[in-house]
Amino acid sequence: MITSVQNDKVKNWKKLQRRKERKNTGTFLIEGYHLVEEAWKSEWTIREIIVQQDVSVPAWCENYQVTVVGENVFQYISETKTPQGIAAIVSFKEQPASIGNFVLLIDAIQDPGNLGTIIRTADAAGFDAIILGNGTVDVFNDKVIRATQGSIFHIPIFQENLEERISILQQEGFSIWATALTNAKPYHTIEKPEKVALVLGNEGAGIKEDIIRQADTIVNIPIYGEAESLNVSVAAGILMYHVKC
């Protein structure tokens, strides 16, 4: 059992709280029974399972390297207020080349809770893939992962240059829908094509002008009350379900 936070292993786990270290190692850390089990069920590669002393683990964990640590060590590597005492080191997964007919493009969304909720909703709505553009919060950020409630393991997620990817999608027959407040048509008045790439923008600045100019259609969600706008994750849910239904 590891009881010292000065242990080299513990130091390496702690480093995974930083995006640079996650990228360098090709791994990330997840916490909690639900997320660890979702990673296992979804057949992502689990490098190691970390368990706090006196915390029980599911039977399937016997197939993996399990490291027991003291409560002080687990608290040290945890990013939650009330950790469940189980965590795992998971490897990045190579995503499939095919992305289906319904794709979500994310332009510089920075709030981890928003991105995680959007990923969870895209999974629920049956979208086929998500492409994250430059300036977007790291998908393997702890807060993002927890907000996805495991959906991060269910839907392919890519990091790409959106302007370049949009051109490719248009060549493949996708209609690009960009969300904006000006020069836009209400989403429910537009005929839904067979292949749609829906673009969502930054919480404050919206979608970059260069990307809006590439769009085939600019859509908005009518506001019937006094609110100025909708939260981006709420808007994402409305539009994704509309496109799929």
Side-chain angles (χ1 to χ4, degrees), residues 41-110:
K41 287 181 177 179
S42 304
E43 298 183 346
W44 282 55
T45 300
I46 296 176
R47 295 273 191 91
E48 185 174 10
I49 294 173
I50 306 160
V51 182
Q52 183 178 308
Q53 65 182 118
D54 301 325
V55 171
S56 60
V57 296
W60 60 263
C61 290
E62 295 177 0
N63 297 321
Y64 297 90
Q65 177 184 340
V66 177
T67 301
V68 180
V69 301
E71 182 179 355
N72 64 316
V73 171
F74 203 93
Q75 291 283 351
Y76 178 70
I77 65 170
S78 174
E79 294 190 76
T80 61
K81 290 183 179 179
T82 55
Q84 296 178 1
I86 185 169
I89 307 300
V90 183
S91 294
F92 292 172
K93 186 176 183 179
E94 185 175 349
Q95 301 293 0
S98 175
I99 59 171
N101 293 338
F102 299 95
V103 182
L104 189 64
L105 308 181
I106 304 295
D107 179 30
I109 286 178
Q110 296 176 339

Side-chain angles (χ1 to χ4, degrees), residues 16 18-29 44-47 89-94 140:
L16 292 177
R18 301 198 297 265
R19 183 174 191 167
K20 180 179 179 181
E21 191 66 19
R22 293 192 291 267
K23 186 176 180 180
N24 287 342
T25 62
T27 63
F28 59 104
L29 187 146
W44 282 55
T45 300
I46 296 176
R47 295 273 191 91
I89 307 300
V90 183
S91 294
F92 292 172
K93 186 176 183 179
E94 185 175 349
F140 297 112

Side-chain angles (χ1 to χ4, degrees), residues 166-239:
I166 285 172
S167 296
I168 295 171
L169 289 171
Q170 287 171 323
Q171 293 171 18
E172 295 173 346
F174 278 84
S175 178
I176 310 300
W177 285 23
T179 55
L181 297 177
T182 58
N183 300 319
K185 299 177 181 178
Y187 73 94
H188 59 278
T189 66
I190 303 169
E191 184 176 348
K192 292 179 286 187
E194 292 184 2
K195 301 175 75 172
V196 178
L198 175 64
V199 190
L200 298 169
N202 175 269
E203 292 89 344
I207 299 171
K208 296 183 187 72
E209 285 297 327
D210 288 347
I211 293 177
I212 290 178
R213 282 193 287 269
Q214 285 183 283
D216 300 299
T217 305
I218 301 175
V219 302
N220 66 10
I221 300 172
I223 301 292
Y224 300 108
E226 298 300 320
E228 292 185 1
S229 63
L230 290 170
N231 173 274
V232 66
S233 62
V234 173
I238 293 171
L239 293 171

